[in-house]
């Protein structure tokens, strides 16, 4: 015979949900409701203060006819392409070298990865000084005897964005390396041995066998680096302050200055929504595929 | 045969030399900015302007460190980074404890007390890991204002806790899923309740992931700039915002040594954590790549 449920039993059954509910509430409000809120502002005529009227897509039209925003979007594409290509190339190269039974592997790995522990503001401050055209690297090379060497990119609008790429690559390569190395360690050594017996050279083995096997690692690295690049804000601010002029403007810096400095709240919200949609377009399919695999795996 | 073997050995040696050469060159490149920061911070301003950039200081001086810590001007106040460093500590400690604690219990519920819809809850939380914060800055600023927390450290603690839950829950959920359900089932049969199981079985088993979570949150929150610059102003700013202000002072002769000392001061806490517990830091880093 079943005992009737007492109050205590019911409480016990409810407890897990009860414990989880503050988090559900916090995330529902802090993430999802706030996104709706930002969306509402992007459809309103808000300038200095939020207003909840409806002006349709006016702010989006205004956004896409702002030259600064166009610059920001162009920069984002250029930056992302270069940042991903270089970071992945160097990161993979590092990981393959480190996988050759190296002495002091731990120390080297730690050196490649420490920039990830730094704030982008610190990185930006350091690289701004390194790229200083009068006292930085340029001066060092000039003093070594190569007097015509110039490295003044940070002051030249048409190439300043490459400075941001250099600093961002420096900060993130270790991350790509770590994921690739984990991928390499997961590959069965007997595959390499078998290919070697067949007479394949090491370069061939890597290009034809190992790299294709790293596909999941590539996917993770590409998705996560794209995410880093879309939200990169602090680095740009510390390194170039979106300048010279607006040469290194990015969507994140545009959003910030429109919203908090130029009293264009509606345009700022519209730019934030554009960023969100870009991230969602990359991240949601990625999470979905990861979760699906997870479920099949267990 | 003998020459064959010898040439093979030589090829191998050249290969090894190339590998080590490349690894060391890369290491030099990655260490260079840290080296430049340290030596610049230990030089006098005259030495810097006379053009010594990468070399050792001729005379080591800690003057720039002293200035950066206690007299450098940020806005109109000239008290150095010290008060902002304290702000960051006051922000990071409660935020790390709260977000990790909440993440731990969430992970426990989501693995050992699953209910209908708990996977949806997890998916909802997971997207929070990848939220571009620009999409929530405006409403958050409004809400903090209405709660009377605008421009305050408790406000930042709240923000970092809310947006930290996603990652910490992911950490603990992925860890607890590897602990066999039989363990908790057996404890339940023995009469242990929800909290008893959590505190005396799950938490003691979760030590490594607690370290991962705390280190990850510490690094993220300490290094945050976006929330700091959006929600605080003046005296309540965290150290990253203050550092950016010091560096962007445009008056007078630029004090590069003070800039570098300030950058080092802002970097030291996370660098120390990295040196002491790098292994756990890397685990946190690669957990974002859910499979890795």
């Amino acid at each position: 015979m079943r005992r009737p449920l007492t109050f205590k039993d019911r409480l016990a059954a409810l407890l897990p949900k009860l414990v989880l509910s503050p988090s559900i509430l916090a995330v529902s409000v802090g993430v999802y409701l706030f996104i709706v809120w930002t969306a509402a502002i992007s459809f309103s005529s808000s300038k200095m203060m939020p207003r909840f009227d409806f002006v349709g897509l006016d702010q989006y039209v205004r956004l896409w006819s702002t030259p600064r925003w166009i610059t920001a979007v162009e920069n984002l594409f250029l930056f992302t392409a270069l940042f991903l290509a270089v970071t992945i190339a160097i990161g993979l190269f590092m990981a393959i070298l480190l996988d050759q039974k190296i002495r002091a592997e731990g120390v080297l790995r730690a050196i490649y990865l420490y920039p990830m522990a730094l704030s982008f503001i610190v990185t930006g401050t350091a690289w701004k000084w390194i790229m200083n055209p009068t006292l930085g690297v340029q001066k060092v090379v000039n003093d070594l005897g190569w007097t015509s060497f110039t490295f003044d990119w940070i002051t030249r609008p048409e190439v300043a964005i490459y400075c941001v790429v250099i600093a961002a690559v420096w900060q993130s390569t270790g991350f790509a390396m770590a994921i690739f190395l984990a991928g390499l360690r997961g590959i069965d050594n007997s595959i390499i041995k078998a290919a070697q017996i067949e007479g394949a050279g090491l370069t061939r083995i890597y290009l034809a066998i190992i790299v294709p096997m790293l596909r999941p690692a590539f996917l993770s690295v590409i998705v996560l680096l794209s995410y880093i690049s879309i939200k990169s804000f602090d680095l740009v601010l510390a390194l170039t302050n979106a300048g010279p002029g607006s040469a290194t403007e990015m969507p994140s810096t545009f959003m910030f200055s429109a919203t908090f400095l130029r009293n264009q709240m509606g345009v700022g919200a519209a730019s934030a929504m554009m960023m969100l949609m870009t991230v969602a377009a990359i991240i949601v399919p990625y999470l979905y595929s990861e979760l699906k695999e997870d479920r099949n795996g267990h | 045969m003998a020459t064959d073997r010898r040439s093979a050995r030589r090829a191998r040696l050249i290969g090894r030399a190339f590998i080590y050469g490349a690894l060391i060159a890369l290491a030099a490149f990655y260490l260079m900015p840290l080296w430049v920061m340290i030596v610049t911070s230990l030089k006098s301003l005259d030495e810097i302007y006379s053009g010594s950039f990468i070399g050792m200081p001729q005379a080591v001086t800690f003057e720039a460190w002293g200035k950066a810590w206690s007299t450098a001007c940020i806005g109109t106040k000239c008290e150095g980074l010290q008060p902002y460093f304290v702000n960051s500590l006051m922000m990071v400690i409660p935020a790390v404890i709260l977000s990790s604690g909440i993440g731990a219990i969430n992970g426990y519920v989501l693995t050992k007390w699953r209910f209908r819809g708990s996977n949806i809850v997890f998916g909802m939380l997971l997207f929070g890991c990848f939220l571009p914060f620009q999409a929530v800055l405006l409403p958050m600023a409004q809400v903090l204002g209405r709660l009377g927390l605008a421009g305050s450290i408790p406000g930042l603690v709240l923000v970092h806790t809310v947006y930290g839950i996603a990652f910490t829950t992911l950490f603990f959920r992925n860890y607890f899923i590897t602990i066999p359900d039989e363990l908790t089932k057996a404890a339940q049969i023995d009469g242990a309740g929800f909290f008893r199981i959590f505190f005396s079985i799950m938490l003691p088993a979760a030590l490594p992931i607690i370290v991962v979570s705390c280190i990850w949150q510490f690094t993220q929150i300490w290094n945050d700039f976006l929330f700091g610059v959006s929600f605080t102003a003046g005296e309540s700013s965290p150290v990253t915002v203050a550092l950016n202000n010091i560096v962007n002072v445009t008056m007078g002769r630029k004090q590069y040594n003070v800039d570098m000392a300030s950058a080092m001061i802002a970097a030291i806490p996370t660098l120390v954590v990295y040196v002491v517990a790098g292994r756990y830091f890397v685990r946190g880093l690669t957990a974002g790549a859910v499979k890795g």
Side-chain angles (χ1 to χ4, degrees), chain A residues 50-231:
Chain A
R51 287 168 57 176
F52 291 97
D53 52 352
F54 183 76
V55 296
L57 290 172
D58 279 12
Q59 303 287 10
Y60 290 87
V61 172
R62 193 167 302 151
L63 176 71
W64 284 99
S65 54
T66 308
R68 251 185 127 95
W69 171 253
I70 305 297
T71 312
V73 173
E74 284 170 357
N75 277 339
L76 178 66
F77 276 104
L78 180 64
F79 173 82
T80 307
L82 284 172
F83 169 62
L84 257 73
V86 181
T87 308
I88 288 175
I90 301 179
L92 182 61
F93 182 60
M94 272 177 176
I96 291 176
L97 291 185
L98 281 177
D99 201 32
Q100 308 301 315
K101 302 191 177 65
I102 291 302
R103 244 179 259 180
E105 189 203 312
V107 176
L108 286 165
R109 230 177 27 202
I111 291 172
Y112 300 150
L113 210 70
Y114 85 90
M116 279 303 283
L118 297 178
S119 149
F120 273 116
I121 300 291
V122 172
T123 302
T125 306
W127 279 94
K128 193 181 185 175
W129 169 229
I130 292 166
M131 298 185 198
N132 184 308
T134 48
L135 295 167
V137 164
Q138 179 180 321
K139 177 104 170 63
V140 174
V141 179
N142 289 351
D143 288 350
L144 286 174
W146 183 1
T147 47
S148 61
F149 175 84
T150 51
F151 186 59
D152 54 356
W153 288 3
I154 203 160
T155 58
R156 283 168 46 199
E158 69 279 14
V159 285
I161 189 76
Y162 299 119
C163 293
V164 186
V165 174
I166 294 172
V169 166
W170 176 80
Q171 176 127 359
S172 309
T173 341
F175 172 59
M177 181 271 293
I179 294 181
F180 283 130
L181 194 58
L184 286 172
R185 294 278 147 89
I187 292 174
D188 191 354
N189 264 334
S190 59
I191 298 170
I192 302 177
K193 291 238 174 68
Q196 263 172 335
I197 290 164
E198 297 280 312
L202 210 57
T203 323
R204 213 145 138 249
I205 295 176
Y206 271 99
L207 286 181
I209 304 172
I210 310 275
V211 170
M213 286 179 81
L214 287 177
R215 258 187 60 181
F218 269 98
L219 183 67
S220 298
V221 170
I222 290 171
V223 168
L224 297 171
L225 290 181
S226 309
Y227 168 67
I228 290 177
S229 97
I230 293 165
K231 64 171 203 142

Side-chain angles (χ1 to χ4, degrees), chain B residues 22-46:
Chain B
L23 285 172
I24 290 166
L26 282 166
F29 173 71
Y30 282 86
L31 282 174
M32 181 270 289
L34 185 64
W35 167 260
V36 167
M37 273 200 281
I38 295 172
V39 292
T40 305
S41 75
L42 297 174
K43 285 172 190 169
S44 69
L45 208 51
D46 287 334

